[in-house]
Amino acid sequence: MIAALGRIKRAVREAIGACGGVDGAGMTAGRSRSVAGDWNNLNHSAFPPLDCALALDEVAVTRGDGTPILSALAAELGHALYKLPDVQAVTSDLSTALIDACAEFGDISDAIRAGLSDGKVCATDSTRITKQIDEAIQSLVRLRVVVNILPSGE
């Protein structure tokens, strides 16, 4: 449990950094600098409440950094987060999304084949394969969104 709190605290620190430090985090969350400083302190047990954590993560999202706090909380529960794409869809988009997802699986196969070419998978190979897996997951998320937003009349 202590290790989990440390990982979450590091994610909070990352979100605070995205806000420009404790001053920016305090202003973003509507709290004082000292409260944000407690959230940022690895040796302090304080964590931002939900409304503040969401505000801090929102700043990180606008910077393109993802959602450090939400992602850390999900990871501690054995989950991963994937951003839902903002798409408008028509029926023809369904086949395009499916083809894109299938192509990503080919990229995973290529990365694994390249990684195994010397008979072992090193850290660089693992990173490359994981990147391809993440891209495939994102393409499946897009496919899921397209399927779920298609107008019922099409």
Side-chain angles (χ1 to χ4, degrees), residues 58-106:
E58 186 172 6
V59 171
V61 166
T62 62
R63 292 175 36 112
D65 296 337
T67 54
I69 300 170
L70 183 59
S71 294
L73 292 169
E76 292 307 322
L77 295 172
H79 289 74
L81 298 177
Y82 295 95
K83 184 180 182 319
L84 296 175
D86 186 21
V87 297
Q88 301 295 321
V90 294
T91 304
S92 60
D93 293 332
L94 187 57
S95 61
T96 301
L98 176 61
I99 291 166
D100 290 346
C102 291
E104 292 297 341
F105 286 109

Coordinates of all heavy atoms in Angstrom, one line a residue, residues 58-106:
E58 N -6.5 18.4 -15.6 CA -7.0 19.2 -16.8 C -5.9 20.1 -17.4 O -5.8 20.2 -18.6 CB -8.2 20.0 -16.4 CG -8.9 20.6 -17.6 CD -10.2 21.3 -17.3 OE1 -10.6 21.4 -16.1 OE2 -10.8 21.8 -18.3
V59 N -5.1 20.7 -16.5 CA -4.0 21.5 -17.0 C -3.0 20.6 -17.7 O -2.5 20.9 -18.8 CB -3.3 22.2 -15.8 CG1 -2.0 22.9 -16.3 CG2 -4.3 23.3 -15.3
A60 N -2.7 19.4 -17.2 CA -1.8 18.5 -17.8 C -2.3 18.1 -19.2 O -1.5 18.0 -20.2 CB -1.5 17.3 -16.9
V61 N -3.6 17.9 -19.3 CA -4.2 17.5 -20.6 C -4.0 18.6 -21.6 O -3.7 18.3 -22.8 CB -5.7 17.1 -20.4 CG1 -6.4 17.0 -21.7 CG2 -5.8 15.8 -19.6
T62 N -4.3 19.8 -21.2 CA -4.2 20.9 -22.2 C -2.7 21.1 -22.6 O -2.5 21.6 -23.7 CB -4.6 22.3 -21.6 OG1 -3.9 22.6 -20.4 CG2 -6.1 22.2 -21.2
R63 N -1.8 20.7 -21.8 CA -0.3 20.7 -22.2 C 0.1 19.5 -23.1 O 1.2 19.4 -23.5 CB 0.6 20.8 -21.0 CG 0.4 22.1 -20.3 CD 1.3 22.1 -19.0 NE 2.5 21.3 -19.1 CZ 3.7 21.8 -19.1 NH1 3.8 23.1 -18.9 NH2 4.8 21.1 -19.2
G64 N -0.9 18.5 -23.2 CA -0.6 17.3 -24.0 C 0.1 16.2 -23.1 O 0.7 15.3 -23.7
D65 N 0.1 16.4 -21.8 CA 0.8 15.5 -20.9 C -0.1 14.3 -20.4 O 0.3 13.5 -19.6 CB 1.3 16.2 -19.7 CG 2.4 17.2 -20.0 OD1 3.0 17.1 -21.1 OD2 2.5 18.2 -19.2
G66 N -1.3 14.2 -20.9 CA -2.2 13.1 -20.4 C -2.8 13.5 -19.1 O -2.9 14.7 -18.7
T67 N -3.2 12.5 -18.3 CA -3.8 12.6 -17.0 C -3.0 11.9 -16.0 O -3.3 10.8 -15.6 CB -5.3 12.1 -17.0 OG1 -5.2 10.7 -17.5 CG2 -6.2 12.8 -18.0
P68 N -2.0 12.5 -15.4 CA -1.1 11.8 -14.5 C -1.8 11.2 -13.3 O -1.5 10.1 -12.9 CB 0.0 12.8 -14.2 CG -0.5 14.1 -14.6 CD -1.5 13.9 -15.6
I69 N -2.6 12.0 -12.6 CA -3.2 11.5 -11.4 C -4.2 10.4 -11.7 O -4.2 9.3 -11.1 CB -3.9 12.7 -10.6 CG1 -2.8 13.7 -10.2 CG2 -4.6 12.2 -9.4 CD1 -3.4 15.0 -9.7
L70 N -5.1 10.7 -12.6 CA -6.2 9.7 -13.0 C -5.5 8.4 -13.5 O -5.9 7.3 -13.1 CB -7.1 10.3 -14.0 CG -8.3 9.4 -14.5 CD1 -9.1 9.0 -13.3 CD2 -9.1 10.1 -15.6
S71 N -4.5 8.5 -14.3 CA -3.8 7.3 -14.8 C -3.1 6.5 -13.7 O -3.2 5.3 -13.7 CB -2.7 7.8 -15.9 OG -3.4 8.3 -17.0
A72 N -2.5 7.2 -12.7 CA -1.9 6.5 -11.6 C -2.9 5.8 -10.8 O -2.7 4.7 -10.3 CB -1.1 7.5 -10.8
L73 N -4.1 6.5 -10.5 CA -5.1 5.8 -9.7 C -5.6 4.6 -10.5 O -5.8 3.5 -9.9 CB -6.3 6.8 -9.5 CG -5.9 8.0 -8.5 CD1 -7.0 9.0 -8.6 CD2 -5.7 7.5 -7.1
A74 N -5.9 4.7 -11.8 CA -6.4 3.6 -12.5 C -5.3 2.4 -12.5 O -5.7 1.3 -12.4 CB -6.6 4.0 -14.0
A75 N -4.1 2.7 -12.7 CA -3.0 1.7 -12.7 C -3.0 1.0 -11.4 O -2.8 -0.3 -11.4 CB -1.7 2.4 -13.0
E76 N -3.2 1.6 -10.3 CA -3.2 1.0 -9.0 C -4.3 0.0 -8.8 O -4.3 -1.0 -8.1 CB -3.2 2.0 -7.8 CG -1.9 2.8 -7.7 CD -0.7 2.0 -7.6 OE1 -0.7 0.9 -7.0 OE2 0.3 2.4 -8.2
L77 N -5.4 0.2 -9.6 CA -6.5 -0.7 -9.6 C -6.4 -1.7 -10.8 O -7.4 -2.4 -11.1 CB -7.8 0.0 -9.7 CG -8.1 0.9 -8.5 CD1 -9.3 1.8 -8.7 CD2 -8.3 0.1 -7.2
G78 N -5.3 -1.7 -11.5 CA -5.1 -2.7 -12.6 C -5.7 -2.3 -13.9 O -6.0 -3.1 -14.7
H79 N -5.9 -1.0 -14.1 CA -6.6 -0.5 -15.3 C -5.7 0.4 -16.0 O -4.8 1.0 -15.5 CB -7.9 0.2 -15.0 CG -9.0 -0.7 -14.5 ND1 -9.0 -1.3 -13.3 CD2 -10.1 -1.2 -15.2 CE1 -10.0 -2.1 -13.2 NE2 -10.7 -2.1 -14.3
A80 N -5.9 0.6 -17.3 CA -5.2 1.6 -18.1 C -6.3 2.5 -18.8 O -7.4 2.1 -19.1 CB -4.4 0.9 -19.2
L81 N -5.9 3.8 -19.0 CA -6.8 4.7 -19.5 C -6.4 5.0 -21.0 O -5.2 5.1 -21.3 CB -6.7 6.1 -18.8 CG -7.1 6.0 -17.3 CD1 -6.9 7.4 -16.7 CD2 -8.6 5.6 -17.2
Y82 N -7.4 5.2 -21.8 CA -7.2 5.6 -23.2 C -8.2 6.7 -23.5 O -9.4 6.5 -23.3 CB -7.4 4.4 -24.2 CG -6.3 3.4 -23.9 CD1 -6.6 2.3 -23.1 CD2 -5.1 3.5 -24.5 CE1 -5.6 1.3 -22.8 CE2 -4.1 2.6 -24.2 CZ -4.3 1.5 -23.4 OH -3.3 0.6 -23.2
K83 N -7.7 7.8 -24.0 CA -8.5 8.9 -24.4 C -9.5 8.6 -25.5 O -9.1 8.0 -26.5 CB -7.7 10.1 -24.8 CG -8.5 11.4 -25.0 CD -7.6 12.5 -25.5 CE -8.3 13.8 -25.7 NZ -9.5 13.7 -26.4
L84 N -10.7 8.9 -25.3 CA -11.7 8.7 -26.4 C -11.5 9.8 -27.4 O -11.5 11.0 -27.1 CB -13.1 8.7 -25.8 CG -13.5 7.6 -24.8 CD1 -14.9 7.8 -24.3 CD2 -13.4 6.2 -25.5
P85 N -11.4 9.4 -28.7 CA -11.3 10.4 -29.7 C -12.6 11.1 -29.9 O -13.7 10.6 -29.7 CB -10.9 9.6 -30.9 CG -11.4 8.2 -30.7 CD -11.4 8.0 -29.2
D86 N -12.4 12.4 -30.4 CA -13.6 13.2 -30.7 C -13.9 13.0 -32.2 O -13.1 13.6 -33.0 CB -13.3 14.6 -30.4 CG -14.6 15.5 -30.6 OD1 -15.7 15.0 -30.5 OD2 -14.4 16.7 -30.7
V87 N -14.9 12.2 -32.6 CA -15.1 11.9 -34.0 C -16.6 12.1 -34.3 O -17.5 11.9 -33.4 CB -14.7 10.5 -34.4 CG1 -13.2 10.3 -34.2 CG2 -15.4 9.4 -33.6
Q88 N -16.8 12.4 -35.5 CA -18.2 12.4 -36.1 C -18.1 11.3 -37.1 O -17.2 11.1 -37.8 CB -18.5 13.7 -36.8 CG -18.4 15.0 -36.0 CD -19.4 15.0 -34.9 OE1 -20.6 14.6 -35.1 NE2 -19.1 15.4 -33.7
A89 N -19.1 10.4 -37.1 CA -19.0 9.2 -37.9 C -20.3 9.0 -38.8 O -21.4 9.3 -38.4 CB -18.9 8.0 -37.0
V90 N -20.0 8.4 -39.9 CA -21.0 7.9 -40.8 C -20.7 6.4 -41.0 O -19.6 6.0 -40.7 CB -21.1 8.6 -42.1 CG1 -21.6 10.1 -41.9 CG2 -19.8 8.6 -42.9
T91 N -21.6 5.7 -41.6 CA -21.4 4.2 -41.7 C -20.1 3.9 -42.5 O -19.4 2.9 -42.1 CB -22.6 3.6 -42.5 OG1 -23.8 3.9 -41.8 CG2 -22.4 2.1 -42.6
S92 N -19.7 4.7 -43.4 CA -18.4 4.4 -44.2 C -17.2 4.5 -43.3 O -16.2 3.8 -43.6 CB -18.3 5.3 -45.4 OG -18.3 6.6 -45.0
D93 N -17.3 5.2 -42.2 CA -16.1 5.4 -41.3 C -15.9 4.1 -40.6 O -14.8 3.8 -40.1 CB -16.4 6.5 -40.3 CG -16.4 7.8 -40.9 OD1 -15.7 8.0 -42.0 OD2 -17.1 8.7 -40.4
L94 N -16.9 3.2 -40.5 CA -16.7 2.0 -39.7 C -15.7 1.1 -40.4 O -14.8 0.5 -39.8 CB -18.1 1.2 -39.7 CG -18.1 0.0 -38.8 CD1 -17.7 0.3 -37.4 CD2 -19.6 -0.5 -38.8
S95 N -15.8 0.9 -41.7 CA -14.8 0.1 -42.4 C -13.4 0.7 -42.4 O -12.4 0.0 -42.2 CB -15.2 -0.2 -43.9 OG -15.3 1.0 -44.6
T96 N -13.3 2.0 -42.5 CA -12.0 2.7 -42.4 C -11.4 2.5 -41.0 O -10.2 2.1 -40.9 CB -12.1 4.2 -42.6 OG1 -12.7 4.4 -43.9 CG2 -10.8 4.9 -42.5
A97 N -12.2 2.6 -39.9 CA -11.7 2.4 -38.6 C -11.2 0.9 -38.4 O -10.2 0.7 -37.7 CB -12.7 2.8 -37.6
L98 N -12.0 0.0 -39.0 CA -11.6 -1.4 -38.9 C -10.3 -1.7 -39.6 O -9.4 -2.4 -39.1 CB -12.7 -2.3 -39.4 CG -12.4 -3.8 -39.5 CD1 -12.1 -4.4 -38.1 CD2 -13.5 -4.6 -40.1
I99 N -10.1 -1.2 -40.8 CA -8.9 -1.3 -41.6 C -7.7 -0.7 -40.8 O -6.6 -1.4 -40.8 CB -9.1 -0.7 -43.0 CG1 -10.1 -1.6 -43.8 CG2 -7.7 -0.6 -43.7 CD1 -10.6 -0.9 -45.1
D100 N -7.9 0.4 -40.3 CA -6.8 1.1 -39.5 C -6.4 0.2 -38.3 O -5.2 0.0 -38.0 CB -7.2 2.4 -39.0 CG -7.4 3.5 -40.1 OD1 -6.9 3.2 -41.2 OD2 -8.0 4.5 -39.9
A101 N -7.4 -0.4 -37.6 CA -7.1 -1.3 -36.5 C -6.3 -2.5 -36.9 O -5.3 -2.9 -36.3 CB -8.4 -1.7 -35.7
C102 N -6.8 -3.1 -38.0 CA -6.1 -4.3 -38.6 C -4.6 -4.0 -39.0 O -3.7 -4.8 -38.7 CB -6.8 -4.9 -39.8 SG -8.4 -5.6 -39.3
A103 N -4.4 -2.8 -39.6 CA -3.1 -2.4 -39.9 C -2.2 -2.2 -38.7 O -1.0 -2.6 -38.8 CB -3.1 -1.0 -40.7
E104 N -2.7 -1.8 -37.6 CA -1.9 -1.7 -36.4 C -1.5 -3.0 -35.9 O -0.4 -3.2 -35.3 CB -2.7 -0.9 -35.3 CG -3.0 0.5 -35.6 CD -1.7 1.4 -35.7 OE1 -0.7 1.0 -35.2 OE2 -1.8 2.5 -36.3
F105 N -2.3 -4.0 -36.0 CA -1.9 -5.4 -35.6 C -0.7 -5.9 -36.5 O 0.2 -6.6 -36.0 CB -3.1 -6.4 -35.7 CG -4.1 -6.2 -34.6 CD1 -5.3 -5.6 -34.9 CD2 -3.7 -6.5 -33.3 CE1 -6.2 -5.5 -33.8 CE2 -4.6 -6.4 -32.3 CZ -5.9 -5.8 -32.5
G106 N -0.7 -5.5 -37.8 CA 0.4 -5.8 -38.6 C 1.7 -5.1 -38.1 O 2.8 -5.7 -38.1

